[in-house]
Amino acid sequence: MKNRVLFSIFITIFSFVYTVSAKQEKYTKHTVAKGETINMIAQKYKVTPYDIYSLNPDSQNGIQQNSVLLIPTSASVVVIHSSQNAPLNNNTDSHLVQPKETLYSISKQYGVTIDALKTANGDLLNNGLKIGLNIKIPKSVGVQNVAVSKPEEINKVIAPVVSKPAVVKVTPEGKTTYHIIEPKETKYGISKKYGMTVLELEHLNPQIVSEFPIGFKLVVSGNVINQAVIETATRGSVGTSESELAKQSSEAKPSAEKSTAEKTSTKKYLEEYVVKPKETIYSIANDYGISEQELISLNPELKRGIKQGMILRVPKGQRKEPVKKEQGNLLKTINTNARKQLALLLPFNISKIESDTINSTQARLKKDKFLNLTLDFYSGALMAIDSAKVLGMNVDIKILDSQETKNSSNVATLVQQNNLQNMDAIVGPFYQSNVEKLAELLEPTKTPVISPLSKEIGKKYTNLYQSMPSAEFLRNSIFDFMKAKNGNIIAVVDTKKGSVKQYIQEMQPNVRIAGLSEKGTFVADSLKVLFQKDKLNYVVLASESTGMILATTNAMLAAQKDYQVQLVILEQNDTFDFEEISLTRLTKLKLLYPSLSRPNESDEANQFDVKYKKVNKIIPNQYAIRGFDVTFDTLLRLSQDNTFEETIQTSPSEQIENKFDYVQNATYGYTNNGIYILYYDTDLTIKEAL
């Protein structure tokens, strides 16, 4: 019943765009006259080009005479890109920001520095460039000194190729900024720091296209040709071809770089670190932006375990400064003025349903689990949108059919047809390969792409936000919790769980594994001899065998009179739901486990259940709640004074059942580390372990 209702609602509203706004907007129609531009029209109505583009997305590709535009006329319209705080400068021109432009590309176009652009525009550029933004361009003071010898000879050599995108021009050394590559820095991180794209950074520094050596001196501002090209060009003939020049450039590596690489040793880039109380291999590796395996390879003694006071070798100068995060309330800091845009890409696969001549919609709903999952998530997202309306959030929302399977989707078409690069954030698609494809397409515009359901870890992109904590992080977290409690950790691992055993042996060397019989069955005495009386004994059980689970828990229950014991699992295990394994047994052993979600009996959660049931005639399942939590968290973050990425870095949040505590990966993108450590209490409830 529920999904039939949802599907009929979906068919009705699919092609529409939601507008969540604090105020009811009024619009007027404008017919474009001959010779009119967006700038002229915006000035006429005292709005910004961005406001016009928001209502008329196709106008970004140009406007034609007699075409009709919607223009906001309500006094409540907010001019997002107000330049009233920009310093006055009569020695300026203006520029209308186009799609995919950056501060760097604009500075090159007009021959000015990025700092000069920022100074001329004051607070206008605080939130970055937006398509349709009118920025002031200070007039260039001109080149005063050329520090390169024989510039006329160099220009003759590079003249045939200066018009090519991959070749840069020669400009004064005084106008150039350099950056030394530090350990673990990335092209994206450096390009973002200096207001460039990765492609522009590579154009200035051809050597980094195929490698990215630590200690290399990068050109990050100004049009300075690579020194190797200059030296080669000076020695070469004027008739050198483009291909020969490129070959010479790739072969003639700077001697300074070579000597730096030769002198650089592993020891030079290492420093000592003293292990503090409660720190783990995982936490230290994460602080230094390396994997646990890399940390262990630098410190083989860690294979025997980690102890307070140990002196470890770690990458020099690479420790991340901890970002102060506070569990604030994003609801209290909503900004209802700035209009934002959000897209939801959900796999309805309407074309397949419409072309299915065998199954009716009702029949398909009965057997298509993926479609049901999609509709459940969608129903929760609709509840989030409704809540956003009530709170007065100012967000335009597009809901699009991603038409996806595990190995295909139409995301490329959707990006092109719906100008998704202009969105402030996008939720979806569902499958990892498809969400990665979308992130790849939108990485140049840094558009945040939130993966709502996938727990897989694949390709990493700077603009990809994995909202589902990984299975590896869940495992690490439960072991970190037990270590923090100074527990004695023992593992009982089924022979069918070879990957779990390998993980424990390699990543949790202090954990002792109980022996099994030759047939692979549980041996009670092998567990009992590992118990310690002065500690809480955690027994990590990795098995889907009812017999092994019963035998292990029987041995633990019998040992309770002499030892403190607690049962632990690393992931959801449906075998524990079997009738043979009673709930009473699990509560006596206080079953402990990591979880992506929490049970929530608060008034807010109960109100959500009541409202959802009223609308959909059924109580919400995990996917409906997930749909609400992911969508509402995204809407909240878009409705703040800070950028989406800034809220990610500083403000963890908690919704109905899910926590969102994003951390930046060592290389690219963000991962949600918001999980719960839960246990079965003796009062037959599930509680959060402290």
Side-chain angles (χ1 to χ4, degrees):
M1 173 64 185
K2 173 196 67 169
N3 281 339
R4 287 203 297 271
V5 173
L6 286 176
F7 197 76
S8 63
I9 295 173
F10 163 70
I11 291 295
T12 303
I13 58 88
F14 173 71
S15 61
F16 291 85
V17 176
Y18 283 91
T19 299
V20 180
S21 178
K23 310 173 184 68
Q24 184 175 359
E25 302 279 82
K26 295 180 180 178
Y27 309 103
T28 187
K29 294 181 180 179
H30 174 83
T31 302
V32 179
K34 184 178 180 179
E36 277 191 319
T37 65
I38 290 292
N39 261 350
M40 296 166 61
I41 297 169
Q43 291 173 5
K44 179 179 179 180
Y45 290 96
K46 296 182 180 180
V47 297
T48 68
Y50 177 82
D51 293 318
I52 298 176
Y53 286 143
S54 296
L55 292 173
N56 309 272
D58 291 339
S59 65
Q60 295 180 51
N61 300 320
I63 55 175
Q64 303 294 326
Q65 182 179 350
N66 296 326
S67 61
V68 178
L69 299 176
L70 287 178
I71 310 294
T73 59
S74 170
S76 63
V77 172
V78 177
V79 180
I80 299 175
H81 301 297
S82 172
S83 59
Q84 61 185 7
N85 296 323
L88 293 175
N89 186 347
N90 295 325
N91 193 32
T92 62
D93 203 345
S94 64
H95 174 84
L96 184 67
V97 178
Q98 302 298 316
K100 297 186 179 180
E101 285 190 318
T102 65
L103 282 176
Y104 177 80
S105 65
I106 295 172
S107 71
K108 296 306 106 187
Q109 181 179 343
Y110 291 96
V112 297
T113 66
I114 293 173
D115 288 339
L117 282 175
K118 292 179 177 179
T119 301
N121 290 278
D123 296 335
L124 188 62
L125 298 178
N126 282 354
N127 294 322
L129 287 178
K130 290 283 187 180
I131 295 172
L133 179 63
N134 238 334
I135 64 173
K136 294 181 179 180
I137 307 296
K139 292 183 180 179
S140 174
V141 296
V143 175
Q144 296 179 358
N145 294 293
V146 177
V148 182
S149 61
K150 298 184 180 180
E152 62 278 2
E153 292 184 16
I154 299 169
N155 285 328
K156 284 180 182 178
V157 174
I158 66 172
V161 293
V162 290
S163 61
K164 301 296 181 181
V167 178
V168 294
K169 301 178 183 178
V170 179
T171 53
E173 185 176 354
K175 295 291 182 181
T176 302
T177 302
Y178 296 97
H179 178 93
I180 306 298
I181 300 176
E182 299 291 341
K184 280 298 175 182
E185 281 193 311
T186 64
K187 294 179 187 179
Y188 173 76
I190 295 173
S191 63
K192 182 179 179 183
K193 180 177 181 180
Y194 292 97
M196 309 165 63
T197 66
V198 172
L199 186 59
E200 289 163 346
L201 184 65
E202 290 177 340
H203 288 171
L204 285 173
N205 304 273
Q207 300 92 336
I208 68 169
V209 173
S210 58
E211 56 184 341
F212 202 63
I214 295 170
F216 184 68
K217 188 177 181 180
L218 292 172
V219 176
V220 291
S221 179
N223 290 329
V224 176
I225 193 165
N226 180 273
Q227 186 64 28
V229 177
I230 294 174
E231 292 174 357
T232 304
T234 306
R235 292 194 301 267
S237 66
V238 175
T240 306
S241 68
E242 179 179 353
S243 60
E244 289 171 336
L245 181 60
K247 183 179 180 182
Q248 290 170 353
S249 174
S250 63
E251 291 176 350
K253 299 292 181 181
S255 57
E257 178 192 355
K258 183 177 180 181
S259 61
T260 300
E262 289 174 349
K263 291 178 182 178
T264 299
S265 64
T266 304
K267 186 175 182 180
K268 180 178 178 180
Y269 288 103
L270 292 180
E271 61 185 5
E272 294 181 342
Y273 179 78
V274 180
V275 178
K276 297 180 178 62
K278 298 184 179 181
E279 285 191 312
T280 65
I281 296 175
Y282 173 79
S283 66
I284 295 174
N286 186 60
D287 285 345
Y288 281 91
I290 59 177
S291 68
E292 293 173 82
Q293 291 90 335
E294 289 172 319
L295 183 61
I296 292 174
S297 67
L298 290 173
N299 304 273
E301 62 271 23
L302 286 176
K303 292 181 180 180
R304 298 187 294 274
I306 188 169
K307 295 180 180 179
Q308 178 182 344
M310 286 181 69
I311 299 176
L312 303 180
R313 291 168 291 281
V314 293
K316 188 175 183 179
Q318 196 170 307
R319 184 176 175 84
K320 295 185 295 185
E321 289 297 325
V323 177
K324 186 177 180 181
K325 288 190 174 185
E326 295 182 359
Q327 188 73 41
N329 190 344
L330 293 174
L331 284 169
K332 294 181 179 179
T333 53
I334 292 176
N335 179 353
T336 60
N337 292 326
R339 184 187 299 126
K340 299 296 178 67
Q341 297 185 79
L342 171 67
L344 303 180
L345 270 58
L346 308 181
F348 298 106
N349 294 318
I350 293 298
S351 59
K352 290 184 179 180
I353 296 173
E354 292 177 341
S355 62
D356 190 344
T357 58
I358 299 176
N359 299 298
S360 65
T361 301
Q362 288 77 13
R364 194 178 184 96
L365 284 170
K366 286 182 180 179
K367 66 179 184 179
D368 193 332
K369 293 182 179 179
F370 187 62
L371 178 58
N372 276 275
L373 181 156
T374 300
L375 293 174
D376 287 333
F377 186 95
Y378 172 62
S379 66
L382 290 181
M383 295 287 289
I385 293 169
D386 186 59
S387 296
K389 289 180 180 178
V390 173
L391 292 169
M393 296 184 197
N394 199 358
V395 184
D396 295 335
I397 303 170
K398 282 186 178 181
I399 299 176
L400 303 170
D401 185 1
S402 56
Q403 296 185 34
E404 63 180 297
T405 64
K406 191 170 185 178
N407 300 310
S408 66
S409 71
N410 70 335
V411 296
T413 302
L414 290 177
V415 169
Q416 184 177 13
Q417 292 180 348
N418 296 275
N419 296 316
L420 295 185
Q421 66 273 13
N422 297 332
M423 291 289 159
D424 292 289
I426 299 173
V427 174
F430 281 6
Y431 283 115
Q432 184 69 20
S433 59
N434 299 329
V435 81
E436 287 174 0
K437 178 63 177 177
L438 180 62
E440 179 184 14
L441 291 171
L442 299 180
E443 190 173 34
T445 55
K446 305 175 185 177
T447 306
V449 176
I450 298 98
S451 175
L453 291 177
S454 174
K455 289 189 286 187
E456 297 178 20
I457 299 177
K459 297 178 182 178
K460 296 176 180 178
Y461 297 94
T462 54
N463 58 329
L464 180 56
Y465 297 78
Q466 296 284 164
S467 71
M468 292 286 282
S470 67
E472 180 183 6
F473 181 74
L474 285 169
R475 284 182 179 179
N476 290 333
S477 297
I478 192 69
F479 279 104
D480 287 349
F481 176 86
M482 292 185 287
K483 291 173 184 175
K485 298 294 184 181
N486 196 31
N488 175 40
I489 309 172
I490 307 163
V492 177
V493 185
D494 198 315
T495 54
K496 296 180 180 179
K497 296 288 184 177
S499 61
V500 176
K501 185 174 182 179
Q502 182 180 0
Y503 164 80
I504 292 174
Q505 289 174 332
E506 293 180 358
M507 308 310 302
Q508 307 295 339
N510 280 343
V511 176
R512 295 180 292 177
I513 300 177
L516 304 178
S517 70
E518 292 182 358
K519 296 182 178 180
T521 58
F522 174 74
V523 178
D525 288 342
S526 69
L527 178 63
K528 188 175 181 179
V529 296
L530 299 177
F531 285 153
Q532 295 181 14
K533 288 200 172 184
D534 58 340
K535 290 187 176 182
L536 174 56
N537 296 277
Y538 293 106
V539 178
V540 179
L541 179 55
S543 176
E544 294 176 1
S545 163
T546 305
M548 180 169 283
I549 293 172
L550 288 172
T552 304
T553 52
N554 282 338
M556 292 178 67
L557 289 169
Q560 277 188 324
K561 62 179 182 293
D562 298 315
Y563 302 94
Q564 300 178 67
V565 296
Q566 186 167 9
L567 180 63
V568 182
I569 57 175
L570 302 179
E571 57 191 358
Q572 182 179 349
N573 190 336
D574 293 337
T575 310
F576 282 83
D577 296 331
F578 290 0
E579 290 183 4
E580 294 92 329
I581 303 170
S582 67
L583 180 61
T584 303
R585 176 186 295 258
L586 302 180
T587 57
K588 285 182 178 179
L589 294 173
K590 293 193 172 182
L591 176 64
L592 185 75
Y593 62 99
S595 177
L596 302 174
S597 59
R598 59 168 177 168
N600 188 355
E601 298 298 330
S602 67
D603 291 340
E604 292 81 1
N606 291 330
Q607 289 171 8
F608 173 81
D609 288 350
V610 170
K611 187 174 181 180
Y612 184 94
K613 185 175 181 180
K614 183 178 180 180
V615 173
N616 299 292
K617 316 304 179 188
I618 195 171
I619 60 174
N621 64 13
Q622 60 176 322
Y623 296 110
I625 295 174
R626 182 76 185 170
F628 176 90
D629 284 359
V630 172
T631 306
F632 192 68
D633 179 74
T634 305
L635 286 166
L636 270 177
R637 294 183 184 279
L638 290 178
S639 302
Q640 304 294 313
D641 288 328
N642 295 330
T643 65
F644 181 86
E645 187 173 17
E646 285 172 341
T647 69
I648 288 292
Q649 293 173 341
T650 59
S651 304
S653 73
E654 203 166 21
Q655 304 307 330
I656 295 175
E657 286 190 359
N658 296 272
K659 185 187 298 183
F660 299 93
D661 185 7
Y662 289 93
V663 296
Q664 192 165 18
N665 296 321
T667 51
Y668 292 103
Y670 290 83
T671 303
N672 181 19
N673 282 357
I675 69 161
Y676 299 93
I677 305 296
L678 305 176
Y679 73 98
Y680 284 38
D681 203 357
T682 51
D683 61 0
L684 305 183
T685 62
I686 298 176
K687 295 179 179 176
E688 187 172 357
L690 302 175

